[in-house]
Amino acid sequence: MSGGKTKKRVTMMDVAKAAGCSQATVSVVLNNVTDIKISSDLRVRVLDVAHKLGYGLASPIRRAGLEDIRGGCIGFIVDQLATTPEAVNAIEGARHASWENDVTILVAQTQGRAENERKAVARLLQAGVQGIVYMSIFTRRVSLDAVFDDLSVPLVLLNCYTSDNRFPAVVPDEMTGGRTATTSLIKKGHTRIATIVGESFMEAAQDRLAGYRTALAEAGLNYDDALVAEGNWTPTSGFEATQKLLSLREPPTAIFCQNDKMAMGCFMAIGEAGLRIPQDISVVGYDDDELSRHLRPQLTTLELPHRPMGAWAIEELAKKSRSGHRSLHKVVCTFIARGSISRKSA
């Protein structure tokens, strides 16, 4: 095991902060949007910062092999675009992995309907795509339509996988993420740690809970059903679950919320109870939703890795991968320390 530290991935927010502008401005500059008026000095500053930080044109995402698809097209099939930012983030990661090679990404939304998927495949192939990325908005096992079995171009699965692993696939490492979130609280001296789970039928909720249990076991702490509260990813469910947890005879000193929206509700319930974050109770979220930076204190959370997952998918297509048994590739969810956790008070 190497003794060196893993280099932190540079984000668009890092570029915006260093350049003294908004993320929207950084996006406009790096996407070379010309119909929005931005001063030449600001454009130069953003590009200079992006290069210096290793984002965009100087990004470590770039790999050898993408030259093989230079000037071509990649098809991106996704069931939903509008419900959450994950699809957009994945497409953004794919775009950054290919932008130096003049690769066009064509996106089709199918709403999970097989008929729409067949039409999308036909039209993408007609457009001359050199590979297809198939994405599910929720991490899950998928049963692909027969149209994907005999494609003339390589296929990569993003945020989903098949039972036989016959296609390259990439998903977030949710179990490790849940373990990391819980361990961060254990390291602060907390021993009575609650968690608010998402909808139990979803793999993300199951794996994050498994990670929570693993962290407790590794620390020699007993798992307690009373400290596991049901939620459904919404702020309201986080608020109601936190109220139940705080009403326990021995309430928790820390709460791991399995997404940031539930954490927002958790913040509200803690405030209504007259308690302070993190002095009285620590809170960790998950997803690194935009709202996590606007809560006070800012929310400690884990970042869903959809951008690097999108980049990985493009790299796999550049290898011209074809059918065959393949292992499932998991990408780590980065821990982002902010102000919502502290050492357990005596």
Side-chain angles (χ1 to χ4, degrees), residues 23 30 34-35 55 62 65-66 79-80 87 111 137 171 178 205 213 219 227 229 249-250 259 269 271 299-300:
Q23 286 182 251
L30 297 185
T34 57
D35 56 349
Y55 184 83
R62 189 182 185 206
L66 291 180
D79 48 9
Q80 290 288 343
Q111 298 183 323
I137 205 65
V171 298
R213 298 189 67 152
L227 293 176
R249 185 173 182 178
E250 187 182 352
N259 82 336
L299 178 65
T300 294

Side-chain angles (χ1 to χ4, degrees), residues 87-100:
V88 174
N89 288 339
I91 294 168
E92 180 72 358
R95 187 187 64 77
H96 276 294
S98 58
W99 70 343
E100 289 180 87

Side-chain angles (χ1 to χ4, degrees), residues 93-109:
R95 187 187 64 77
H96 276 294
S98 58
W99 70 343
E100 289 180 87
N101 293 280
D102 191 28
V103 175
T104 300
I105 296 178
L106 307 178
V107 182
Q109 177 180 256

Side-chain angles (χ1 to χ4, degrees), residues 12-74:
M12 190 177 291
M13 186 172 66
D14 295 325
V15 177
K17 184 176 180 180
C21 63
S22 68
Q23 286 182 251
T25 298
V26 173
S27 180
V28 167
V29 172
L30 297 185
N31 284 309
N32 198 29
V33 177
T34 57
D35 56 349
I36 296 178
K37 300 300 180 184
I38 293 178
S39 71
S40 58
D41 287 346
L42 180 54
R43 284 185 181 272
V44 170
R45 186 163 77 246
V46 169
L47 289 171
D48 184 56
V49 168
H51 275 286
K52 287 179 179 178
L53 295 181
Y55 184 83
L57 291 175
S59 172
I61 283 174
R62 189 182 185 206
R63 301 287 189 269
L66 291 180
E67 292 81 1
D68 292 340
I69 54 176
R70 180 184 294 275
C73 295
I74 294 295

Side-chain angles (χ1 to χ4, degrees), residues 50 69 75 88-89 92 122 173 188 209 215 235 244 274 290 292:
I69 54 176
V88 174
N89 288 339
E92 180 72 358
D173 191 347
K188 295 292 185 181
L209 180 60
K244 292 178 181 178
E290 179 67 24
S292 66

Side-chain angles (χ1 to χ4, degrees), residues 20-326:
C21 63
S22 68
Q23 286 182 251
T25 298
V26 173
S27 180
V28 167
V29 172
L30 297 185
N31 284 309
N32 198 29
V33 177
T34 57
D35 56 349
I36 296 178
K37 300 300 180 184
I38 293 178
S39 71
S40 58
D41 287 346
L42 180 54
R43 284 185 181 272
V44 170
R45 186 163 77 246
V46 169
L47 289 171
D48 184 56
V49 168
H51 275 286
K52 287 179 179 178
L53 295 181
Y55 184 83
L57 291 175
S59 172
I61 283 174
R62 189 182 185 206
R63 301 287 189 269
L66 291 180
E67 292 81 1
D68 292 340
I69 54 176
R70 180 184 294 275
C73 295
I74 294 295
F76 212 104
I77 295 176
V78 60
D79 48 9
Q80 290 288 343
L81 277 171
T83 53
T84 67
E86 279 74 31
V88 174
N89 288 339
I91 294 168
E92 180 72 358
R95 187 187 64 77
H96 276 294
S98 58
W99 70 343
E100 289 180 87
N101 293 280
D102 191 28
V103 175
T104 300
I105 296 178
L106 307 178
V107 182
Q109 177 180 256
T110 65
Q111 298 183 323
R113 298 174 183 171
E115 179 183 358
N116 292 347
E117 290 179 353
R118 289 191 289 270
K119 289 179 180 178
V121 168
R123 291 169 184 173
L124 290 172
L125 291 176
Q126 187 177 22
V129 297
Q130 293 170 281
I132 293 176
V133 177
Y134 179 98
M135 177 180 180
S136 168
I137 205 65
F138 299 119
T139 307
R140 60 190 176 93
R141 184 175 62 190
V142 293
S143 297
L144 295 177
D145 187 84
V147 71
F148 293 100
D149 291 333
D150 300 311
L151 287 177
S152 57
V153 297
L155 174 70
V156 173
L157 307 184
L158 197 159
N159 209 38
C160 57
Y161 58 95
T162 57
S163 58
D164 58 4
N165 290 325
R166 69 185 184 278
F167 300 107
V170 59
V171 298
D173 191 347
E174 303 281 21
M175 183 173 175
T176 299
R179 176 172 172 253
T180 299
T182 309
T183 299
S184 72
L185 296 168
I186 294 171
K187 287 180 177 178
K188 295 292 185 181
H190 296 278
T191 56
R192 191 157 177 80
I193 302 168
T195 186
I196 302 176
V197 301
E199 294 166 295
S200 60
F201 70 89
M202 294 179 61
E203 289 191 18
Q206 297 166 14
D207 289 347
R208 291 174 194 180
L209 180 60
Y212 164 81
R213 298 189 67 152
T214 297
L216 294 180
E218 289 174 341
L221 300 175
N222 292 326
Y223 173 82
D224 184 349
D225 278 329
L227 293 176
V228 179
E230 295 290 333
N232 61 10
W233 310 116
T234 65
T236 298
S237 71
F239 179 86
E240 293 173 348
T242 302
Q243 286 185 317
K244 292 178 181 178
L245 291 169
L246 295 179
S247 69
L248 293 173
R249 185 173 182 178
E250 187 182 352
T253 63
I255 301 176
F256 163 36
C257 300
Q258 289 195 5
N259 82 336
D260 293 342
K261 289 183 173 62
M262 291 193 296
M264 181 173 71
C266 178
F267 267 50
M268 294 171 62
I270 290 171
E272 283 198 8
L275 300 173
R276 299 166 301 164
I277 301 170
Q279 293 91 337
D280 300 315
I281 187 164
S282 291
V283 179
V284 175
Y286 207 109
D287 289 355
D288 195 28
D289 194 298
E290 179 67 24
L291 66 86
S292 66
R293 291 179 285 277
H294 298 289
L295 294 172
R296 291 295 178 269
Q298 291 189 335
L299 178 65
T300 294
T301 187
L302 284 95
E303 180 184 36
L304 277 175
H306 284 79
R307 283 186 174 86
M309 285 163 58
W312 184 91
I314 294 298
E315 293 165 14
E316 282 298 301
L317 290 179
K319 296 175 184 177
K320 301 187 182 300
S321 301
R322 289 292 191 270
S323 299
H325 183 79
R326 305 177 189 282

